[in-house]
Amino acid sequence: MTAQAALGFLFFSLAASGAAGQSARQLSTGNDTVWRINLKNDRPTNCGLQFTQITRDNKGGPILQADSRGDKSEWNGCVTIPKGILKAKEDYILTFDYEVVDRAARTAFFYVFARSNSLGYGADQSEKWSGEPGERGKAKLRISPAAGDYYIQIGIHGQAAIRIQNITIVRGNGWTILPLTGVSVGGQQAPAITGAQRFTVEAPAKTNGPVINLGDFGLVADGGSPPSTGPDRNLMAFKAAIAKCRETKASKLIVPKGVYRITSGETIAFEGLSDFIFDGGGSTFLFHQINGRKAAMLIKNCTRTVFSNFNIDWDWKIAPLASVGRILKVGPNATFFDIRFETPPPLDPRRWVGMNPLDEKLRAPGTGTEFGVAIKKIDSVGPQTLRVWTTNAAKPVVGQLYLLRHYTFEKNCMVMEGNKHLSFQYITIYSFPGNGFNYLGDQDHFELLHCRITYPENERRCITLTGGGFMVSQSQGFIRLEDCDFGYTGDDLVDIGDNVHAGVRRVDDHTLVAENITPWQCPFNAGDMVEVRNGDFSPTGFTAKLEKATGDYKTHETTLVFDKALPGHIASNAILLNHRYNSHNCIIRNCYFHENRARVILCLSADWLIEGNRFFHDQYSAIHLIVDVAQYWAGGFGAQNIIVRNNKFESINPAGEHKGSAIYVSADVNSNPSHYPLLQNLLLENNTFTEMTGPAVEAASFRNLVIRQNTFINREKAPIALKMRGAIRAELGSGLWVEGNNWTTKNGFDPPAIFYDAETTKNIVCSGNLLKN
C-alpha cells in the first residue's frame, strides 16, 4: 500500500532523488483490549459502582446511568476500575461513549482520572468535560503509568447525571508516527502569516513645562533605617509633588538618588497627567506593607507619559517573601515532615502558602511535584528545623530542597489602568508580594523597555515576585516588551489576554446572567459589543450591543441586557467575549526570561511577534499559544496570526508540565483541548531548542501551524524520563507544516518524529528535515 493510500489526508510524493519515502506508522495497534466491564446478574465483577445503575440498550448492551443529583457531595466517584489492570511503563487508552442527562448546576462537570496512591495527586492523568443535556461524545484518556498501583475513576463533580457505554481499555497510546526524514511531501503551500504590525508609543508632546524636584517636598532618604512610626513623610512628599505637577502642567518630576521608605502601606498614585516624565534618578522605593489589595504604584488615565530610572523593593528584614529549606524526614503516612531552613524558620501557619522543589545547582524551580500545606501544628525540633504536622498528607521528598512561598497574589507592585501611550524605561522590581506589572482597562500603546525583574546587585535571594511578572487583564492592545530581563518569579512571567467569561443563565429573549463572575475582574458596561460563543469556543453567530450591565458583587453575577434578541438556545456553559477589549498586536523582542516558577509567555490574543528572546530553565513550557477557560477563570480570545522566530529555548520545562513541551498550543476548556480549531495561523521559525524534557511542540485545537527552519538539539540526559523528547505532537488540528528543520539527537535516545492522532489531525506536510546524531 502506498503512503497516499495509508494516509489519505497526507500529501506525499517521492523525493527528487528517487529514494523511497517512509510512510507513517501506528505507534501501537491499539487493539489489545485489557479491560471491559464484566457483568454477572447485571452486577459488575471487575469494577465498583456508586451513584450508578445498569440498564440495557436496544441491542442488549449495558448502559451505566450515573446520577449524583440526590447527593450534596462535591466529588462523586461513580465507576472505579481497581489497580492491577495497568502495568507500569506501558501505555494505555481508556475510551467510552457518553450522553449528558442533566447538570443541575453550571459548575457541575464530569471527569475520569487515573491515580496512583503511592505517587499522589500530582501524578494524576485526567480528563474532564461538561455539556448540555442530550449532548453526546466520546471520552478518551491516554494513560502512561509510572507505577503499578494506578486505578481509574469515572465520576461527577457536583450534581449531575450521565449515561456511559462501551468502556474499554486497550494497550497502546493511539499515536501515529510520521518520520521526519526520508519523506518528501508536496501539496499545499503554507499560509502567509504576518504577526504584529509596527507601532510607536508617542513621547510627551510638550517638553517646556516646569521641572519639579521631589526633594523640595520633604522627601527623606531613610531606607537604611528601620521604619518610622510617625507620618509617612515620603508618601506625603509624593502626593504634594504630583499635585503640583498637575497644577502647573509640569513636564517632569525628578528624584534625588536615594533609598526611600513608604511606611503607610498606601499607594503612590499618578493620575490624570499628560505629556509628563517621572525620572526616579536611580532611586529605590522600599515597602514593607501594603494596605488591603492596593498597589505600590498606580498610573491611571495618563497620556503620553514616561516613567523611568527607579527600583521598587520589599523589606525582607521585616516580612520575608519566601524561605528555603531541606526535607530531613517524612513521618508515617506522611502525617508530618521535618524541614531545616537556611534562615529563621516561619512559625506562622498563614505564611505556608505552597512549596515547590528547587534545582540544587541553580536554586531555581526544578523537577518534582509542588504541594500545598494544610497545617495542623508546627513544632520546633532543632536549630532552624521544624516538624510540620499536616492534615492533607503532603509528601515531600526526603533530601530535596524546597522553596516555601509566604505570599502569592496579595499585593501588586505597579498597576496601570486607562492610559494612552505609556512608556516604562529602566525600571527594576527587586521583589514584591504579588504581581510585578499589572495592566488593565481601556488603554493602549504601552511599552516596557530595558526593564528588569531580578535580585539586587550582589544579593542572591530565593524569589523576586511571589506572583507573576507582567499581567494584562484587559486592554485595547499595542503592547511591546523589549530588552527586558525577567526572572525568579513565583508565577507566569508574561500573561497577555482579555478576561472572558464562561457560564450563563438565560432570563428572557434579551437578557443573560453571567454566573460566578467577579464584576471588577471581568467588566461589562452599557455600549459594549459582546459576542456569545458555544462552550467549546465555536461561534454561535450572535454579537450584540449591551443596553445595560448590572454587576452584583454579593451574588457574583452580572445581568446583561442586549439590544437585540438572543438565539433560541444559549448553552449554560456559553462563553462571552467583550469586544470592547482586544489585547492584540504585541511585540516581545530581545528579552531574557529565566528561572521562574510556572510558564513564561501566555499568548491569548491575536497578531503577535515573539522574536530574538532567550528562555532558560523555566519550570513549565516557555510559550503557550492558547486560550484557557475553566470553572473559576477564563482568559483570552485565542492566539491567531502569531510569529515566533529567532528565539533560544534552553533546558525548558524540567517539571514536565504539558507532557514536557517547550511550546504548548491548545484551546483548553476545563483543562482539555477543544475540538474547535480556534488557534489559527501560527509560525515557529528559525528558533533553537536545546535539551528538551518532552516534545518541542505540543499542539491541539489549531488550523495552520507552520514549523520550519528550526534547530532541535538533545545531547544530555533529560531531568525526568518523558517520551517523545524533541518531537512534534499534534491532535485536533488541520494544516501542519514541518519543513526544513534540523534535529541533533545523541545515539541511544529515541529518535524524534511527528506523533499525531490520525482520527483528529488532517493535512500534514513534512519535507526537507534533517536528523543526525
Side-chain angles (χ1 to χ4, degrees):
M1 180 182 293
T2 66
Q4 289 93 332
L7 296 161
F9 53 84
L10 297 179
F11 300 90
F12 282 83
S13 66
L14 293 178
S17 64
Q22 301 176 42
S23 65
R25 61 183 176 84
Q26 193 78 15
L27 185 59
S28 57
T29 59
N31 58 7
D32 184 3
T33 302
V34 298
W35 190 90
R36 289 183 187 274
I37 191 167
N38 184 41
L39 299 178
K40 184 175 182 179
N41 299 323
D42 268 350
R43 298 301 302 167
T45 62
N46 58 349
C47 67
L49 301 182
Q50 288 182 291
F51 305 104
T52 303
Q53 296 180 339
I54 296 177
T55 61
R56 297 281 179 172
D57 63 16
N58 56 11
K59 296 182 180 179
I63 299 175
L64 279 62
Q65 297 196 147
D67 191 342
S68 65
R69 290 173 293 182
D71 192 274
K72 296 183 179 180
S73 300
E74 182 179 6
W75 297 96
N76 306 289
C78 299
V79 181
T80 303
I81 301 173
K83 65 180 181 180
I85 306 295
L86 309 180
K87 308 301 180 185
K89 298 183 179 180
E90 294 192 14
D91 294 323
Y92 301 90
I93 306 175
L94 177 143
T95 60
F96 56 85
D97 301 314
Y98 67 82
E99 179 184 0
V100 176
V101 176
D102 184 29
R103 288 167 58 233
R106 186 195 65 80
T107 55
F109 60 83
F110 311 98
Y111 63 85
V112 55
F113 65 72
R115 175 172 294 166
S116 162
N117 283 331
S118 64
L119 299 179
Y121 297 166
D124 281 3
Q125 298 171 46
S126 63
E127 179 179 344
K128 52 187 177 181
W129 68 99
S130 53
E132 291 294 289
E135 184 175 320
R136 299 185 178 189
K138 178 183 287 290
K140 177 189 288 187
L141 178 64
R142 291 184 172 92
I143 309 169
S144 298
D149 65 341
Y150 271 80
Y151 66 94
I152 296 169
Q153 186 174 97
I154 304 170
I156 302 171
H157 175 268
Q159 287 64 58
I162 192 171
R163 295 188 182 97
I164 299 169
Q165 195 170 19
N166 302 324
I167 307 176
T168 305
I169 303 174
V170 299
R171 188 172 283 106
N173 60 28
W175 296 109
T176 298
I177 298 179
L178 178 62
L180 295 165
T181 60
V183 177
S184 176
V185 181
Q188 296 178 337
Q189 294 292 317
I193 299 171
T194 58
Q197 61 178 286
R198 294 182 180 181
F199 64 93
T200 299
V201 175
E202 295 177 5
K206 299 176 182 179
T207 59
N208 58 352
V211 176
I212 306 297
N213 191 323
L214 189 61
D216 295 336
F217 294 83
L219 192 70
V220 179
D222 55 356
S225 305
S228 169
T229 58
D232 190 340
R233 292 171 293 180
N234 292 331
L235 183 70
M236 293 169 62
F238 263 106
K239 287 184 175 180
I242 293 169
K244 189 68 173 179
C245 290
R246 192 178 296 110
E247 175 190 342
T248 63
K249 293 183 170 49
S251 293
K252 182 180 288 189
L253 174 62
I254 63 174
V255 183
K257 186 174 182 179
V259 179
Y260 303 97
R261 285 188 177 276
I262 307 299
T263 59
S264 60
E266 296 297 320
T267 300
I268 302 170
F270 295 85
E271 188 168 359
L273 297 165
S274 297
D275 300 312
F276 172 79
I277 296 172
F278 174 68
D279 186 344
S283 297
T284 297
F285 306 115
L286 182 62
F287 294 77
H288 67 273
Q289 64 175 341
I290 292 290
N291 295 335
R293 296 191 64 86
K294 295 181 179 179
M297 186 175 289
L298 170 67
I299 296 95
K300 185 175 182 180
N301 297 333
C302 294
T303 303
R304 294 183 301 277
T305 50
V306 177
F307 290 77
S308 65
N309 301 321
F310 62 89
N311 316 306
I312 294 181
D313 200 4
W314 186 261
D315 194 334
W316 285 61
K317 294 178 182 178
I318 296 175
L321 299 184
S323 302
V324 174
R326 191 178 301 277
I327 302 297
L328 304 180
K329 180 180 180 180
V330 177
N333 300 318
T335 54
F336 72 84
F337 60 85
D338 293 351
I339 179 169
R340 183 173 61 235
F341 287 95
E342 299 176 347
T343 53
L347 297 173
D348 184 350
R350 294 173 300 177
R351 299 278 69 91
W352 288 67
V353 174
M355 299 180 67
N356 61 287
L358 295 180
D359 179 277
E360 289 279 345
K361 182 178 179 181
L362 297 172
R363 295 177 68 86
T367 301
T369 302
E370 296 185 9
F371 60 92
V373 186
I375 292 179
K376 192 173 183 180
K377 66 174 181 174
I378 298 175
D379 295 330
S380 179
V381 295
Q384 298 187 169
T385 303
L386 301 179
R387 174 161 292 176
V388 182
W389 299 84
T390 68
T391 60
N392 63 336
K395 295 182 179 180
V397 176
V398 173
Q400 175 69 54
L401 202 64
Y402 283 87
L403 173 74
L404 168 63
R405 282 187 293 167
H406 304 319
Y407 301 88
T408 50
F409 305 102
E410 282 80 353
K411 324 292 178 183
N412 290 317
C413 186
M414 300 192 67
V415 173
M416 299 82 76
E417 182 177 358
N419 305 286
K420 306 290 184 183
H421 295 278
L422 172 63
S423 180
F424 283 2
Q425 303 175 16
Y426 297 98
I427 296 173
T428 298
I429 300 175
Y430 291 134
S431 64
F432 217 76
N435 293 331
F437 302 99
N438 235 52
Y439 185 95
L440 69 159
D442 298 308
Q443 60 182 2
D444 58 81
H445 291 81
F446 170 75
E447 61 186 6
L448 280 165
L449 305 179
H450 314 288
C451 293
R452 299 186 302 157
I453 300 170
T454 191
Y455 301 139
E457 190 174 356
N458 301 320
E459 184 177 353
R460 177 75 184 192
R461 296 172 177 171
C462 56
I463 201 167
T464 51
L465 299 165
T466 59
F470 176 52
M471 308 285 115
V472 176
S473 300
Q474 318 97 25
S475 81
Q476 292 167 356
F478 296 92
I479 298 168
R480 174 167 51 242
L481 282 71
E482 195 156 353
D483 296 313
C484 293
D485 180 343
F486 290 177
Y488 318 114
T489 66
D491 206 71
D492 307 319
L493 279 177
V494 177
D495 182 350
I496 300 177
D498 297 285
N499 292 130
V500 300
H501 179 71
V504 301
R505 182 176 74 250
R506 188 188 187 111
V507 177
D508 56 41
D509 285 349
H510 286 262
T511 308
L512 293 177
V513 173
E515 300 179 309
N516 191 34
I517 189 173
T518 303
W520 65 266
Q521 283 185 331
C522 190
F524 292 93
N525 295 280
D528 293 351
M529 294 297 295
V530 175
E531 179 183 1
V532 179
R533 294 227 173 183
N534 294 311
D536 63 354
F537 265 98
S538 61
T540 65
F542 179 83
T543 301
K545 183 183 293 186
L546 294 180
E547 291 185 339
K548 185 186 294 186
T550 307
D552 189 325
Y553 289 84
K554 292 183 179 180
T555 62
H556 295 281
E557 294 183 341
T558 298
T559 301
L560 307 173
V561 180
F562 292 86
D563 70 347
K564 65 181 183 181
L566 293 158
H569 174 70
I570 300 290
S572 64
N573 62 348
I575 297 169
L576 304 177
L577 310 184
N578 187 349
H579 288 289
R580 172 176 180 167
Y581 305 108
N582 184 4
S583 294
H584 70 301
N585 212 80
C586 301
I587 297 173
I588 301 178
R589 180 186 286 130
N590 299 334
C591 296
Y592 180 32
F593 301 114
H594 56 103
E595 298 159 281
N596 72 296
R597 177 188 171 273
R599 303 160 293 186
V600 184
I601 296 177
L602 275 64
C603 167
L604 300 109
S605 57
D607 309 326
W608 281 49
L609 172 62
I610 303 174
E611 179 180 50
N613 306 286
R614 182 189 176 201
F615 301 81
F616 173 69
H617 194 86
D618 299 294
Q619 186 187 23
Y620 296 159
S621 306
I623 296 177
H624 279 221
L625 305 177
I626 61 168
V627 70
D628 193 8
V629 173
Q631 183 177 357
Y632 298 109
W633 71 87
F637 297 171
Q640 299 181 2
N641 187 32
I642 312 296
I643 295 177
V644 179
R645 70 183 179 205
N646 299 331
N647 301 283
K648 294 182 179 180
F649 301 87
E650 305 170 47
S651 303
I652 294 298
N653 205 344
E657 189 76 0
H658 295 294
K659 307 299 186 294
S661 57
I663 294 180
Y664 179 69
V665 179
S666 184
D668 285 345
V669 178
N670 289 324
S671 301
N672 295 304
S674 171
H675 288 242
Y676 178 71
L678 179 69
L679 314 174
Q680 300 180 17
N681 297 332
L682 313 174
L683 171 61
L684 313 179
E685 182 177 50
N686 292 328
N687 303 287
T688 300
F689 300 78
T690 58
E691 306 309 333
M692 291 142 280
T693 304
V697 180
E698 171 92 2
S701 315
F702 67 89
R703 178 179 294 137
N704 298 337
L705 170 59
V706 182
I707 304 171
R708 69 185 179 207
Q709 297 175 357
N710 300 282
T711 298
F712 306 90
I713 301 171
N714 281 319
R715 293 195 182 100
E716 305 296 331
K717 183 179 178 181
I720 53 177
L722 296 179
K723 298 180 180 180
M724 305 183 191
R725 191 177 177 205
I728 310 298
R729 197 166 93 164
E731 61 180 324
L732 300 168
S734 176
L736 172 61
W737 285 263
V738 181
E739 301 179 300
N741 303 284
N742 292 326
W743 273 265
T744 299
T745 303
K746 186 177 179 180
N747 282 325
F749 291 179
D750 291 340
I754 300 173
F755 296 83
Y756 66 97
D757 185 335
E759 293 182 354
T760 64
T761 311
K762 312 298 180 185
N763 302 335
I764 301 177
V765 176
C766 177
S767 69
N769 301 298
L770 178 64
L771 178 61
K772 60 184 179 180
N773 293 323

